[in-house]
Amino acid sequence: MRAARLIRMALLIQLSPGLTASAIAREFDVSERTVIRDVQALQEAGIPVRSERGRVGGYHLAPGYRTRLATLHPSEAETLFLSGLPTALQDLGLSDAADSARLKVTATLLPSVRAAAESSVRRFHLDAPAWFREPCTPALLPELARAVWSDRTVELAYARPGRDGSPPSTVSRAVEPYGLVLKAGFWYLVARHPADGASRDGAWRTYRVDRVTALAPGAPEPFVRDAAFDLAAHWATHAAGFARTLLRTSVTVRLTEQGLRRLPAVVDEAGIEEALSGASEPDATGLVTLDLPAESPDVAFDQLSRLGADVEVLAPAGLRARFRERALALAALYGTEPQGQR
C-alpha cells in the first residue's frame, strides 16, 4: 500500500540522509518517477523532505526533524518485540541494555499499540539450542562481543580440531571481528585476517567461540570495517562450506537399507550429499558401502551407534575396534536373563 511505503520512505530518508531517487527506487522496487511523486506527497503532508544537488546531495529531512514512533502499526510493534532473543542477549551481556531500550520504546507507544507489543512476547518464545543439549555460554563471548561492537582487532588462541583422530592443536590468529552468529545453540565468530601482506591477507574465517581459549587486544586503533559487508548474506553463502571444514576425518561404513534411510537423521548434514553420491550399488544382500565424512572418530562413534546393527564400520581400524568392544559388551550384558528374573 502507498501509505505504508510513504512511512517507510520517510524513515529511510531519516536513517540514511543523502539517498538519491534511484537508490530509493531500488529499495522499494518502484520507478524513480514514483519516488518523486511520493516525496511530493510527503511534503504536502507536512514532512520537510528536501532534495539537494551535488556530490553530497540526495534527499534529506530538515535539520532537527524526527519522525514519531507513535506512528507504529500494532503488527509492526508485535514484530519489533519479537525480534529480541533473550538468551542471546544474555550471553552477550546485553540483557540489561535491551530491557532498558524496550522500556523506553514501550513508553513512547500509543496505548493500543503498546498492548499489541506486550501481547506478542507472551505468545512467542525462541529456544535456540537443540533438545537434550545443555547450552553453555563461552566465557570469552562478552569480551569478544565488545570487540565486535567497537571494531577492534583481537589476538585469539584457537583450539583447532585435529584431522583423522589426531589431538587438537592451538593456533594464534590476529583477526578483525566482524560479527557473531548463534547457530543451533553454538556461537560462531565471523572474522577477517588483517591486510598485512601475509598469506592470509584479507581472508575470511569462521571460528567456533567455545574453542577460543584466550583473547587479547590487538592494534590500539579500530580497524576500517568494509561497509559492503552483510553478515546475514555472508553466513548464508559460507555456512555450508564452513560446516564441511569441520568434517576432518572419513569413516567407511556398510549399511542396510534401513540404516541408509536413517543415516541423514543421525550424522552431520554437511557430509551426507557427498557420501551418498559416492555410495556403492547394493550387494547381493542389499548392503551399501560408502565413505562418510565425520568431525572426529569420537563423534562418528556416538552418531553411528544410534543405527545399531544397521551399520558396520569397516575403517578406520581403531573405530571398528571400538564398535567390536561395544558389541561384545552388549552381548555379554544381554546374553543372559537379568538376575532375579525368570
Side-chain angles (χ1 to χ4, degrees):
M1 295 176 61
R2 190 188 186 203
R5 187 175 72 240
L6 290 174
I7 293 173
R8 290 175 57 207
M9 185 176 297
L11 290 171
L12 181 64
I13 295 172
Q14 175 178 299
L15 293 172
S16 303
L19 288 176
T20 62
S22 60
I24 296 174
R26 288 193 301 271
E27 178 70 23
F28 293 101
D29 194 24
V30 297
S31 67
E32 292 187 37
R33 185 183 297 273
T34 298
V35 171
I36 294 171
R37 286 199 299 264
D38 285 351
V39 168
Q40 291 173 345
L42 288 172
Q43 292 169 338
E44 292 170 0
I47 298 178
V49 182
R50 62 189 187 189
S51 176
E52 299 181 0
R53 298 181 179 276
R55 186 173 58 85
V56 293
Y59 288 108
H60 298 258
L61 294 179
Y65 180 86
R66 306 289 293 178
T67 56
R68 296 179 180 274
L69 281 174
T71 59
L72 280 176
H73 187 274
S75 63
E76 295 170 334
E78 291 168 354
T79 305
L80 174 65
F81 276 71
L82 280 176
S83 64
L85 308 179
T87 302
L89 292 170
Q90 183 176 357
D91 289 350
L92 294 170
L94 297 173
S95 55
D96 289 344
D99 289 342
S100 177
R102 206 171 287 116
L103 284 172
K104 291 179 180 178
V105 172
T106 302
T108 67
L109 297 176
L110 293 172
S112 59
V113 180
R114 187 182 308 147
E118 292 172 349
S119 68
S120 67
V121 297
R122 299 192 190 103
R123 288 170 168 81
F124 300 95
H125 174 69
L126 174 64
D127 186 7
W131 285 106
F132 313 117
R133 176 183 295 161
E134 185 67 26
C136 180
T137 303
L140 296 174
L141 178 62
E143 185 177 350
L144 198 52
R146 287 192 290 271
V148 171
W149 277 113
S150 58
D151 294 336
R152 297 283 181 174
T153 303
V154 294
E155 301 271 351
L156 57 83
Y158 188 72
R160 185 170 58 187
R163 291 186 179 276
D164 298 322
S166 60
S169 59
T170 300
V171 295
S172 297
R173 295 284 184 265
V175 300
E176 297 171 346
Y178 265 69
L180 290 162
V181 175
L182 178 61
K183 169 72 171 178
F186 290 100
W187 283 97
Y188 295 89
L189 170 70
V190 177
R192 186 171 65 176
H193 290 270
D196 56 5
S199 60
R200 296 179 179 272
D201 192 9
W204 292 97
R205 292 291 184 272
T206 301
Y207 299 93
R208 226 173 83 170
V209 176
D210 62 343
R211 291 177 179 165
V212 177
T213 58
L215 196 65
E221 298 297 324
F223 63 85
V224 179
R225 174 177 283 263
D226 182 354
F229 177 76
D230 184 323
L231 179 61
H234 176 91
W235 182 261
T237 302
H238 297 280
F242 169 70
R244 185 62 184 83
T245 65
L246 297 177
L247 307 180
R248 305 171 72 86
T249 191
S250 180
V251 179
T252 303
V253 296
R254 188 153 50 208
L255 296 153
T256 66
E257 181 180 353
Q258 182 176 355
L260 189 64
R261 187 169 57 251
R262 293 177 55 203
L263 187 65
V266 301
V267 301
D268 297 296
E269 181 181 356
I272 283 291
E273 184 175 351
E274 176 184 337
L276 294 180
S277 66
S280 69
E281 294 294 327
D283 63 15
T285 61
L287 299 178
V288 172
T289 301
L290 55 83
D291 293 321
L292 183 67
E295 185 173 348
S296 69
D298 287 341
V299 172
F301 182 76
D302 290 338
Q303 293 175 336
L304 295 175
S305 293
R306 304 172 203 171
L307 296 180
D310 288 315
V311 63
E312 178 188 3
V313 173
L314 304 179
L319 184 59
R320 181 177 174 85
R322 288 183 64 180
F323 273 94
R324 183 187 301 113
E325 293 171 3
R326 169 69 67 85
L328 291 173
L330 289 172
L333 181 64
Y334 289 99
T336 59
E337 293 296 323
Q339 292 184 2
Q341 300 288 327
R342 292 183 180 180

